[in-house]
Amino acid sequence: MRSPLAFWKELTGTRSGESVRLSLMLVYLLLIITCYTTTKTVRDSLFITEIGPSQLPYLYVLTAACMAAISAIYPRALKRIGLYSFVQLTSLLAIVSLLLFWWLVAYQWRGLLYVLYVWVSLFGAITASQAWSLASHVFDAREARRAFAWIGLGGVVGGIVGGSLARIVAPWLGTEVLLPICSALMIVTVMILRGLARREDWKADREEGPETDQSKNSGLDVLAQVRQSPYLSMMVALLLSGVLVEAFIDYEFKVVAQQAFDSKDRLTSFLGTIASYGGMLALLVQTLVTGRLLKRFGVGAAILLLPSAL
């Protein structure tokens, strides 16, 4: 009888060392998405219950502004600190922040909920992008072709796990307890990071040369390229349209959810249920529909699938 490791290697088509790295990276992204999905349900439930959805449009704008500010300083900080050290620092700050939010939320300070709302959005965007940056360092180009699909599958499963965690724990122990649980999961990601990185990896990025003028002007160069390329301009327009549509749908959904539930924990459980079912649907579409759709109709038809479903 084959061992689980041999079966995993055969299933993924990887070698011994590669299969271990793939397993660690898959679990890493799974835990990151689990924490983001869970904290997102906590954030939404607390904010909707205590303040109401009427303030959400202001938070959408504030979150976008904070993300723009972080995007401006992120590359320089990454180059100065190095990828592995920066990811570890981000994870440690997230662990402390989650415990701090858990402690402060008991004081029922309304301003804290605004901070929590923006923080969760930034946490999800930064940690997910760091996970994929980490994956690009862990695997070379040939290994990435085999590994990235499985890592992405871990992210989808993480959405299911995070939603299920909120659905089960909130009615049982309360919404706020989910914050220290996510803090504990983030501790596991730090342990996985230490297992993925070799000793020389912690200093590799910092040994590169100083920042050049080209890197400083990269943002302006990107904007110039977008303006000059009709294709890139169309892609930016599509992304912007998608963000706007998502904001409207999110706002309408939370207005209806507030009217339907008068209990904070029941609302958290409901939001977790929606997240887990959404993850299951994404998993089914990704495994059963997307590949066949691409083979038969091409990328153009596949791009139309999401707008048509909405």
Side-chain angles (χ1 to χ4, degrees):
M1 183 176 180
R2 290 178 301 173
S3 65
L5 180 59
F7 175 76
W8 176 244
K9 288 166 57 180
E10 181 180 347
L11 180 64
T12 57
T14 56
R15 300 173 181 176
S16 297
E18 184 183 346
S19 63
V20 173
R21 284 180 282 130
L22 172 58
S23 301
L24 290 175
M25 197 66 237
L26 187 151
V27 175
Y28 181 88
L29 184 60
L30 187 152
L31 292 176
I32 289 294
I33 301 302
T34 295
C35 290
Y36 172 60
T37 304
T38 305
T39 53
K40 185 179 177 182
T41 60
V42 174
R43 171 201 74 177
D44 291 344
S45 178
L46 291 175
F47 192 88
I48 293 173
T49 304
E50 300 296 331
I51 297 178
S54 62
Q55 299 295 309
L56 287 176
Y58 302 105
L59 285 174
Y60 296 152
V61 176
L62 179 59
T63 300
C66 292
M67 185 61 69
I70 290 177
S71 299
I73 63 176
Y74 186 91
R76 296 182 181 180
L78 179 61
K79 192 171 184 64
R80 180 182 296 272
I81 300 175
L83 177 62
Y84 287 91
S85 298
F86 199 14
V87 173
Q88 179 176 255
L89 177 62
T90 303
S91 300
L92 293 175
L93 289 175
I95 293 168
V96 174
S97 298
L98 287 167
L99 293 175
L100 188 62
F101 282 127
W102 177 47
W103 176 57
L104 292 176
V105 76
Y107 292 93
Q108 298 182 345
W109 176 43
R110 291 169 62 90
L112 177 69
L113 300 181
Y114 288 87
V115 178
L116 176 62
Y117 197 101
V118 175
W119 182 91
V120 170
S121 298
L122 300 178
F123 165 74
I126 293 173
T127 54
S129 65
Q130 285 182 340
W132 286 110
S133 297
L134 183 63
S136 67
H137 278 243
V138 172
F139 301 98
D140 58 33
R142 180 178 299 178
E143 293 171 339
R145 296 176 184 175
R146 297 186 292 264
F148 276 24
W150 290 100
I151 296 172
L153 182 63
V156 175
V157 174
I160 300 174
V161 174
S164 301
L165 186 65
R167 176 174 59 86
I168 296 171
V169 173
W172 180 32
L173 298 175
T175 297
E176 295 83 356
V177 176
L178 291 165
L179 295 176
I181 291 177
C182 289
S183 180
L185 295 179
M186 289 301 298
I187 294 176
V188 179
T189 66
V190 174
M191 298 169 60
I192 293 176
L193 179 65
R194 304 295 296 191
L196 284 170
R198 298 163 296 182
R199 184 181 299 274
E200 60 269 20
D201 291 332
W202 296 95
K203 297 181 179 180
D205 292 339
R206 279 180 277 183
E207 292 174 355
E208 297 179 0
E211 190 176 11
T212 62
D213 293 337
Q214 183 179 359
S215 64
K216 292 180 181 178
N217 298 327
S218 59
L220 296 177
D221 293 339
V222 170
L223 291 177
Q225 292 175 10
V226 170
R227 288 196 299 267
Q228 295 171 3
S229 171
Y231 176 76
L232 291 177
S233 299
M234 180 67 70
M235 292 297 296
V236 171
L238 287 173
L239 289 172
L240 180 60
S241 300
V243 170
L244 292 175
V245 171
E246 182 183 3
F248 279 115
I249 293 176
D250 181 73
Y251 178 76
E252 293 171 350
F253 173 71
K254 289 173 182 176
V255 169
V256 175
Q258 181 200 31
Q259 298 171 353
F261 295 92
D262 56 357
S263 168
K264 172 185 58 181
D265 296 333
R266 289 180 57 201
L267 178 57
T268 304
S269 179
F270 167 73
L271 294 175
T273 302
I274 293 297
S276 61
Y277 285 165
M280 294 177 190
L281 179 60
L283 181 61
L284 291 175
V285 171
Q286 181 175 331
T287 55
L288 302 178
V289 178
T290 303
R292 298 178 182 179
L293 191 67
L294 288 172
K295 290 180 180 179
R296 183 166 183 178
F297 300 104
V299 177
I303 291 176
L304 292 175
L305 178 62
L306 181 58
S308 301
L310 287 176

